[in-house]
Amino acid sequence: MSRIRLVSWNVNGIRAAIKKGFFDWLEKDQPDVLGLQETKISAEQLTLDMVAPLGYRTYWSHANKKGYSGVAIFTKEEPISVTEGLGLPEWDTEGRTLIAEYPNFVLYNIYYPNGGRGDDRLQYKMGFYDVFLEHIENARKQGKKVIACGDFNTAHHPIDLARPKENEKISGFMPIERAWLDKFTAHGYIDTFRHFYPDKKDMYSWWNMRTFARERNVGWRIDYFYTSPDLKENLVDAGIEMDVQGSDHCPVTLTLDF
């Protein structure tokens, strides 16, 4: 048996996170695989310590628009392959997707769109969700076991945010967005944190920094690790590292045994 620990973290700008102690955290935490979202950096801005931190290989996807979106994977084990994007230009210009294949699973590290900047972005978000679901289902049809991590930008159930009633008309907790997560889980995908902690309250991964919400823990759980049902027997634990600073999100974790 080999144990593997994965971490997903929306760093809200890798350069800002580095100034706030990202590398100290990485050295101490030592995840086997780390998926970052919202790196907000271009290829030419990457420094050697970002590209080759001690003990890790890294892979990056950048948005066409500077200082926007972007994802990265830091990994101790070299993947069999790493693919950028979902294979359709309309959904791949914002640097939102990296897919890494390992011997035991395929990891989708994704920064899902935010639907909060008008109806066109909500429609873009819902379209992205559907294209992603089709892509990951195709991987399963090919016999792959899959893990999807990242900032989904939607809280699923009232337990997943501090103030559900007040946010029913706010993107991130709208009925249409929650219904898509219902559809996703109806395909068998396991919300790994809820698998282990179905009733645990006040567990969040994002807080509005402008309102000092983190100090009061008025948050949202919008960062997830989902797995296909054929990985259920491999699940060991899932967690939310709410004490880790450096972003308006905190890291979420998943441990598996193979």
Side-chain angles (χ1 to χ4, degrees):
M1 293 282 276
S2 64
R3 182 161 289 197
I4 183 166
R5 185 166 165 277
L6 300 93
V7 174
S8 173
W9 191 7
N10 178 324
V11 288
N12 192 14
I14 185 64
R15 287 167 294 180
I18 287 168
K19 286 174 185 165
K20 295 171 188 169
F22 170 79
F23 283 122
D24 292 336
W25 168 83
L26 182 66
E27 190 177 344
K28 185 177 161 199
D29 195 274
Q30 288 291 315
D32 296 297
V33 183
L34 169 64
L36 300 179
Q37 303 91 42
E38 215 173 349
T39 52
K40 295 183 176 177
I41 199 166
S42 305
E44 67 273 11
Q45 296 170 313
L46 292 173
T47 57
L48 186 59
D49 58 345
M50 295 180 203
V51 175
L54 192 62
Y56 290 93
R57 296 173 178 272
T58 69
Y59 302 86
W60 301 76
S61 181
H62 310 281
N64 291 355
K65 183 176 162 187
K66 285 208 171 203
Y68 179 70
S69 191
V71 291
I73 290 174
F74 289 38
T75 177
K76 290 183 174 179
E77 178 188 344
E78 185 177 1
I80 296 163
S81 66
V82 177
T83 309
E84 203 176 338
L86 294 168
L88 295 164
E90 184 183 349
W91 311 104
D92 291 341
T93 58
E94 296 183 355
R96 294 186 175 276
T97 308
L98 280 172
I99 305 163
E101 182 168 356
Y102 292 90
N104 292 311
F105 59 87
V106 176
L107 175 68
Y108 284 71
N109 174 41
I110 300 184
Y111 175 44
Y112 299 83
N114 186 316
R117 292 190 298 278
D119 188 59
D120 59 331
R121 285 308 286 183
L122 180 61
Q123 295 309 314
Y124 185 84
K125 175 181 183 177
M126 300 314 297
F128 188 100
Y129 272 165
D130 286 339
V131 170
F132 155 70
L133 180 55
E134 188 179 346
H135 200 288
I136 202 169
E137 281 293 289
N138 283 336
R140 282 177 72 189
K141 283 171 191 161
Q142 292 164 27
K144 312 284 189 192
K145 298 177 179 183
V146 294
I147 300 172
C149 76
D151 175 2
F152 277 69
N153 260 312
T154 301
H156 195 179
H157 298 294
I159 195 175
D160 296 318
L161 70 167
R163 295 186 175 158
K165 268 277 173 262
E166 296 91 319
N167 286 292
E168 283 172 352
K169 293 179 180 174
I170 303 294
S171 181
F173 198 60
M174 286 180 172
I176 187 174
E177 296 164 311
R178 297 170 62 200
W180 184 87
L181 283 177
D182 289 340
K183 179 169 80 170
F184 186 52
T185 52
H187 280 78
Y189 292 96
I190 299 165
D191 174 348
T192 55
F193 181 77
R194 286 289 169 228
H195 173 74
F196 289 104
Y197 308 103
D199 305 313
K200 199 164 187 183
K201 295 180 176 175
D202 305 319
M203 297 299 293
Y204 309 123
S205 64
W206 175 79
W207 302 264
N208 186 332
M209 296 310 230
R210 289 191 296 276
T211 60
F212 301 98
R214 191 161 188 171
E215 287 78 350
R216 296 173 287 123
N217 198 28
V218 178
W220 300 53
R221 190 176 72 94
I222 57 176
D223 301 86
Y224 301 89
F225 271 102
Y226 282 99
T227 70
S228 50
D230 48 11
L231 284 169
K232 187 175 182 179
E233 300 307 312
N234 304 98
L235 300 176
V236 175
D237 195 16
I240 305 177
E241 300 190 342
M242 289 173 61
D243 56 335
V244 175
Q245 302 288 328
S247 169
D248 54 349
H249 294 249
C250 73
V252 297
T253 69
L254 176 64
T255 306
L256 306 103
D257 257 342
F258 293 100

